[in-house]
Amino acid sequence: MPHYAGRSLVRRFALMSYFSLMSAAALAADLAPVPETPPPAPAELSSGWSFRFIPYGWLTSLNGKQTVRGRTASVDASFPKIVEDTIGKGGTLVGLMGDFEARYGALGLYGDIVWAKVGVSGDSVRTRRFDPTISGSIGTSHSVNVNMAIAEGGAAYEVARFGLPHGDSPAIPTAIDLVAGARYWYQQASLSFNLSTSLDISDLTLVRNRALAKSGSVDWVDPLVGARVRFMVAPGQNIFLRGDVGGFGVGSKISWQAIGGYSFDFAEKNGITYSGIIGFRALYVDYVQGAGRNRYGFDMLEYGPVLGVSMRF
């Protein structure tokens, strides 16, 4: 893609983000402000069921290795590069992203889903190696395309609630949850290579002047355990941190996730409290199956800012 076209796409994305924020601001103006109330006592737990839904956007960058049919390529692509290579080429950066939690006292049940179709090409993709059983030269990588769904579900249980000292100010209400669940992965990936006289293409698909390695559908499930910490820094304002580790050789070799962010209530209407969410998420997985020409691998770190709106009722 010409450089000026990439800049044009990034400008379009920036304009779309601007108008989305203006729409959110208009919604906030139409809603009643949240009344300021003192923070709850550290030992207080809500009675009855409460629910929270968070549609969000994850501005994802990629760094790692993708293996399809025994061919491995290194990927190092920032979010702007993914925007440039995806929009207008049949991909969608965000198909669906949402988080849901139902809570009763100390027990919470949660679910999270991510669906995306991304493509990366050019300098962000480098051929790394071929499986030793595949003859011919490595060739030159052209692009990586991945259709990906990640669905997570599990339970969180609050094991502690207390006040952290904060100088001469009132203690900061703090809660700690233990988390256990599972993360389901679904992928379809393809690598394309520029043709050369020594490239082994016996099991690849030829498309114009390129050879294409397709994975077909690949899926697996990782068990996970982790913890979450929540701090109320002011009425209606919270900082949250969460970490988990999974895989353990059941699905992937290993996977881990780290999330941190800040939420702030900005409106309330019809019993629903609206909050803005700003944070950062990093998700890593190392998965491999098969051997030789049937080998598939995904050794990748996905990371980037998270922006969302929480609806709590």
Side-chain angles (χ1 to χ4, degrees):
M1 174 183 292
H3 190 59
Y4 69 85
R7 291 199 303 268
S8 176
L9 289 174
V10 173
R11 284 198 298 270
R12 289 183 204 171
F13 182 80
L15 286 173
M16 291 169 61
S17 301
Y18 172 79
F19 287 120
S20 297
L21 290 173
M22 291 302 98
S23 299
L27 171 65
D30 184 55
L31 299 174
V34 177
E36 291 195 6
T37 57
E44 180 181 329
L45 278 174
S46 59
S47 59
W49 284 98
S50 61
F51 303 92
R52 185 195 64 194
F53 175 61
I54 307 175
Y56 66 93
W58 184 17
L59 312 186
T60 314
S61 299
L62 300 175
N63 183 271
K65 299 186 292 292
Q66 174 73 70
T67 301
V68 180
R69 291 191 172 275
R71 286 85 169 174
T72 301
S74 295
V75 179
D76 186 4
S78 64
F79 177 72
K81 176 62 176 175
I82 295 175
V83 172
E84 178 182 327
D85 286 347
T86 302
I87 298 296
K89 295 184 179 181
T92 55
L93 287 172
V94 179
L96 175 66
M97 295 187 183
D99 181 90
F100 176 81
E101 181 171 352
R103 194 168 194 97
Y104 186 87
L107 177 65
L109 303 175
Y110 76 91
D112 181 88
I113 188 167
V114 172
W115 180 88
K117 181 178 180 181
V118 299
V120 183
S121 62
D123 293 340
S124 298
V125 182
R126 301 283 186 182
T127 300
R128 186 176 180 87
R129 64 177 181 272
F130 280 9
D131 189 275
T133 62
I134 300 175
S135 61
S137 68
I138 290 179
T140 305
S141 294
H142 179 265
S143 66
V144 173
N145 294 278
V146 184
N147 297 348
M148 177 167 46
I150 308 170
E152 181 183 325
Y157 190 81
E158 186 176 298
V159 295
R161 179 176 286 247
F162 51 87
L164 285 178
H166 187 52
D168 297 330
S169 303
I172 299 176
T174 304
I176 299 176
D177 298 332
L178 296 182
V179 177
R183 186 177 295 122
Y184 170 77
W185 297 78
Y186 171 86
Q187 294 181 351
Q188 287 184 325
S190 65
L191 300 179
S192 70
F193 302 91
N194 295 320
L195 290 176
S196 67
T197 56
S198 57
L199 178 65
D200 184 349
I201 60 173
S202 58
D203 61 331
L204 304 183
T205 302
L206 298 183
V207 180
R208 297 187 179 91
N209 61 335
R210 298 189 180 94
L212 188 64
K214 296 183 178 181
S215 70
S217 298
V218 179
D219 65 343
W220 70 93
V221 177
D222 285 338
L224 65 89
V225 293
R228 179 175 62 185
V229 183
R230 294 168 284 142
F231 308 91
M232 178 181 285
V233 294
Q237 300 182 50
N238 294 273
I239 292 175
F240 57 90
L241 301 170
R242 176 192 159 162
D244 65 65
V245 61
F248 312 116
V250 177
S252 65
K253 294 179 181 179
I254 189 70
S255 67
W256 58 261
Q257 178 175 229
I259 305 172
Y262 166 70
S263 70
F264 53 96
D265 298 348
F266 62 82
E268 184 176 19
K269 187 174 184 180
N270 298 328
I272 301 176
T273 300
Y274 296 85
S275 307
I277 305 288
I278 301 172
F280 191 90
R281 180 181 188 181
L283 176 60
Y284 171 78
V285 64
D286 183 2
Y287 174 80
V288 64
Q289 71 170 32
R293 297 176 187 272
N294 294 318
R295 185 179 181 85
Y296 180 87
F298 190 72
D299 181 4
M300 194 73 65
L301 173 64
E302 304 170 61
Y303 62 95
V306 173
L307 304 172
V309 177
S310 169
M311 290 166 278
R312 192 171 67 250
F313 52 95

